[in-house]
Amino acid sequence: MTESTPAARPPETAHARRVMRVAQAFTELPGTVHGPAELAAAAHLDAALVHRILRSGLSGSTFVEAAPGRYRLGPGAARVGIHAMATVPGPRTARPVLDRLGRLLDAFAVLWVLSPYGGPSKTHAASAPGRYGFDALGLTPAQLVEIGQSLRAGASGHAIAAHLPRPLIAAVLTAPVPAGAGPGVPRGAAGFTAALERVRRTGYAVTREEIPGWDALAAPVLWGDTVYGAVTVLKPSPLMPRDLSLLVTATTAAAEQLSLRVSGTDPVPPPPSRSPRRTEDRPATPYGTTDW
């Protein structure tokens, strides 16, 4: 049976799936403005059907007509995304995780999150300055803002960019390397693409002096198959150990924990019993026996 067979699924359900496929096609094509034919090819649907879906979406501003016969996602689609992002846990949830990570590794732990405004970039969500903080990085305020926003530089930028759709990765590549970035930043497209491939293969990013004098390791925070952000630990380059196994284990564990919380699948701990287990009986984690 095909998708449109009434016996397989109610017609209204099949139509809803087609609408979602058209909306998804906008995220899979390069650029932002598209015609019905190219959207139909990406969504594997009939062009006339796609045209009707686009026209019906104008009333709620899910789609807007940017030019005659050319469409882009509109404020109605943005409202859905903004509402979805407003439901994920905020800094109050992330800070205890980052604090334990920073104390364990004697590092500066930061959560960066993806920002889509004006092109893909990142923004600071939470951090746990212990021994180090932003002031220790030796950057001017302008450099700190530019490097902090860029996905071209730093382990966090690589960890996030590696999980973006290909059209958005292409957009990241058109952005310049930020002023103040260190000698370790891949300047060309080939080096940057290779760095993203390593992230996909290993599950984490390591950068050496992409901020002058600092090394970093980052792991992506995912919401299903969509990247939300990245947990990053930074240490002065002379203090970054050769053996990164502890940093990798601890940072990826922190990112996985935040991924569970973002997705809403993190199990709620049971209420304490009258006779709680002794600390030494609790299973060990990269953070010792301390619960998250």
Side-chain angles (χ1 to χ4, degrees):
M1 293 183 182
T2 66
E3 181 184 330
S4 59
T5 302
R9 136 182 338 103
E12 63 274 14
T13 303
H15 179 69
R17 287 172 60 89
R18 294 180 186 122
V19 172
M20 294 304 298
R21 281 163 62 178
V22 172
Q24 182 70 25
F26 278 94
T27 72
E28 298 168 355
L29 292 168
T32 58
V33 179
H34 307 288
E38 56 186 321
L39 290 165
H44 306 288
L45 295 171
D46 177 74
L49 171 63
V50 170
H51 182 260
R52 291 196 298 272
I53 289 173
L54 292 168
R55 299 304 300 180
S56 68
L58 294 178
S59 60
S61 299
T62 301
F63 311 114
V64 296
E65 193 169 16
R70 305 282 291 173
Y71 301 84
R72 63 180 176 85
L73 292 174
R79 280 194 298 272
V80 173
I82 291 170
H83 182 77
M85 293 301 294
T87 65
V88 301
R92 184 176 298 179
T93 298
R95 283 193 191 106
V97 177
L98 298 174
D99 183 62
R100 294 174 189 180
L101 180 65
R103 284 190 282 110
L104 173 69
L105 301 179
D106 191 23
F108 182 28
V110 187
L111 172 64
W112 299 96
V113 296
L114 177 66
S115 173
Y117 297 104
S121 61
K122 66 182 189 294
T123 187
H124 171 266
S127 56
R131 182 177 174 185
Y132 311 108
F134 284 113
D135 57 342
L137 300 180
L139 299 172
T140 67
Q143 290 172 337
L144 184 60
V145 169
E146 191 171 356
I147 293 176
Q149 291 177 340
S150 176
L151 297 182
R152 285 293 306 270
S156 57
H158 295 178
I160 292 172
H163 293 84
L164 291 176
R166 293 194 180 278
L168 293 186
I169 294 176
V172 173
L173 272 170
T174 66
V177 173
V185 175
R187 305 277 165 171
F192 184 73
T193 302
L196 303 194
E197 237 359 276
R198 283 193 295 273
V199 174
R200 298 187 194 103
R201 185 176 67 252
T202 64
Y204 60 90
V206 178
T207 55
R208 306 286 185 178
E209 291 214 48
E210 293 208 8
I211 294 175
W214 290 80
D215 292 351
L217 189 146
V221 177
L222 300 173
W223 187 0
D225 59 359
T226 299
V227 66
Y228 170 76
V231 173
T232 308
V233 291
L234 298 102
K235 291 176 73 74
S237 298
L239 301 181
M240 181 66 86
R242 289 181 176 273
D243 182 359
L244 297 176
S245 56
L246 175 59
L247 276 84
V248 169
T249 300
T251 306
T252 54
E256 288 168 4
Q257 183 67 31
L258 290 178
S259 295
L260 289 173
R261 295 187 179 186
V262 167
S263 65
T265 57
D266 191 20
V268 177
S273 63
R274 293 181 179 273
S275 302
R277 289 186 296 168
R278 294 176 300 168
T279 299
E280 58 268 28
D281 294 334
R282 286 145 68 179
T285 71
Y287 299 81
T289 56
T290 302
D291 291 333
W292 281 94

